[in-house]
Amino acid sequence: ISKLLQKEDSSLRVLSLNSTSMGDDEAEILASSLQHNTKLTDLSLLDNQFRVKGCMAFLKLLNDISSIDRTYNSNHSLTSLDLPRSTDSFSCGLKKHIDFVRRINEEQEGNAEAAGRAKVIETILNSRKRMYLSRLQGIANSYGRVSTEVDPVLLPNVLALVGGKHGQSEMYLMLVAIIPDLASIMNKKDVLKQEVTENVWTAAIEFGAGDKSRRKTVKKKRTNSFFSALLDLASCTKKLYIGK
């Protein structure tokens, strides 16, 4: 079955393997076979013998927290997943996280890009969920690790996204983690290129399109103002976060 599910031309959409005495090892093999499968939408594995280890394999299948890229490219096709029943608190908590990302698949059915983006925002960019999932999957947990996977030019946009989605306190946690390295890794030329492109007409009107020396001055001022604004943002969010 696992070999069938790995085939690119596999058209199987519903699979029931209830009461097949499936253990943790078999569950891991099955989950691995679905990594690149985009056809199977319904999988039922009730009344089997696998527990935490097998469930972990399906959590990683639906939301691999090891990197932004892996989260974005996790399985987004599985919209229905029935796992063996369990009563201990750890397993129940684990299944809640599995069901959370499964619901994202369900809500974004047919749109893998939207599902991937939602998983990154809801788990990678949420410190509490990322911490829990990182511990489960044995992954180092820090916003610093996340920032190394993002183009430095886009970090301000990511900060704004975090603040808008998860609040000022979450944005502050990310900011204090990445700001020590941000200035050193930021390619100022890239920032300039982006900002000047977006504001070229304003610059031309204010300083004259033919005056090269003035345009260089504009570029320098914009670069310095960018980093100053970033530092001001850190100070502002700190005050909001700690209430001082």
Side-chain angles (χ1 to χ4, degrees):
I1 293 176
S2 64
K3 291 182 179 179
L4 172 64
L5 294 171
Q6 292 179 62
K7 290 184 177 181
E8 293 184 4
D9 60 350
S10 174
S11 59
L12 187 65
R13 297 184 62 84
V14 179
L15 178 62
S16 176
L17 295 173
N18 298 332
S19 304
T20 55
S21 300
M22 184 183 299
D24 286 318
D25 292 341
E26 291 81 9
E28 287 185 315
I29 293 172
L30 179 61
S32 178
S33 70
L34 292 171
Q35 185 175 358
H36 302 294
N37 184 295
T38 60
K39 300 296 184 181
L40 191 72
T41 60
D42 296 71
L43 177 61
S44 184
L45 302 171
L46 294 172
D47 300 320
N48 277 297
Q49 297 178 359
F50 68 88
R51 293 295 179 263
V52 172
K53 188 178 177 182
C55 290
M56 286 282 294
F58 284 99
L59 174 60
K60 187 175 182 179
L61 168 70
L62 296 175
N63 191 31
D64 187 341
I65 204 78
S66 60
S67 71
I68 291 177
D69 184 65
R70 287 183 179 275
T71 298
Y72 186 79
N73 291 297
S74 296
N75 180 292
H76 308 312
S77 303
L78 207 57
T79 58
S80 177
L81 176 61
D82 295 319
L83 299 172
R85 296 179 179 85
S86 55
T87 57
D88 64 284
S89 59
F90 182 83
S91 295
C92 290
L94 177 58
K95 288 180 180 179
K96 285 183 179 179
H97 282 276
I98 294 173
D99 194 55
F100 176 77
V101 289
R102 182 206 58 78
R103 287 200 307 272
I104 291 178
N105 285 1
E106 186 177 25
E107 292 168 0
Q108 303 295 341
E109 187 174 4
N111 191 340
E113 290 185 2
R117 184 174 185 272
K119 289 178 184 179
V120 170
I121 294 172
E122 294 292 346
T123 58
I124 291 282
L125 300 182
N126 183 307
S127 61
R128 290 185 178 180
K129 288 181 181 177
R130 189 183 67 254
M131 178 177 66
Y132 179 80
L133 294 172
S134 294
R135 286 178 178 175
L136 286 178
Q137 298 183 24
I139 305 298
N141 171 49
S142 71
Y143 265 130
R145 175 180 67 82
V146 174
S147 67
T148 61
E149 302 176 48
V150 179
D151 187 331
V153 176
L154 299 178
L155 282 174
N157 303 76
V158 175
L159 281 168
L161 178 62
V162 171
K165 183 66 180 179
H166 301 303
Q168 295 287 344
S169 61
E170 190 69 32
M171 183 172 71
Y172 172 70
L173 291 175
M174 181 177 187
L175 188 58
V176 295
I178 68 174
I179 202 169
D181 301 320
L182 188 58
S184 62
I185 65 174
M186 181 70 74
N187 186 327
K188 295 186 178 183
K189 289 184 179 180
D190 286 343
V191 177
L192 284 172
K193 184 177 180 180
Q194 182 185 41
E195 291 195 347
V196 171
T197 299
E198 293 174 351
N199 299 287
V200 64
W201 294 112
T202 301
I205 292 172
E206 292 181 354
F207 296 91
D211 192 331
K212 293 183 179 180
S213 62
R214 286 184 176 180
R215 282 184 296 184
K216 289 181 179 179
T217 301
V218 174
K219 291 179 180 181
K220 183 176 181 180
K221 286 182 177 179
R222 283 180 176 169
T223 302
N224 293 334
S225 65
F226 175 82
F227 288 103
S228 296
L230 196 59
L231 293 171
D232 290 342
L233 178 61
S235 176
C236 176
T237 52
K238 181 179 180 180
K239 290 178 181 178
L240 290 170
Y241 181 63
I242 65 178
K244 294 182 180 180

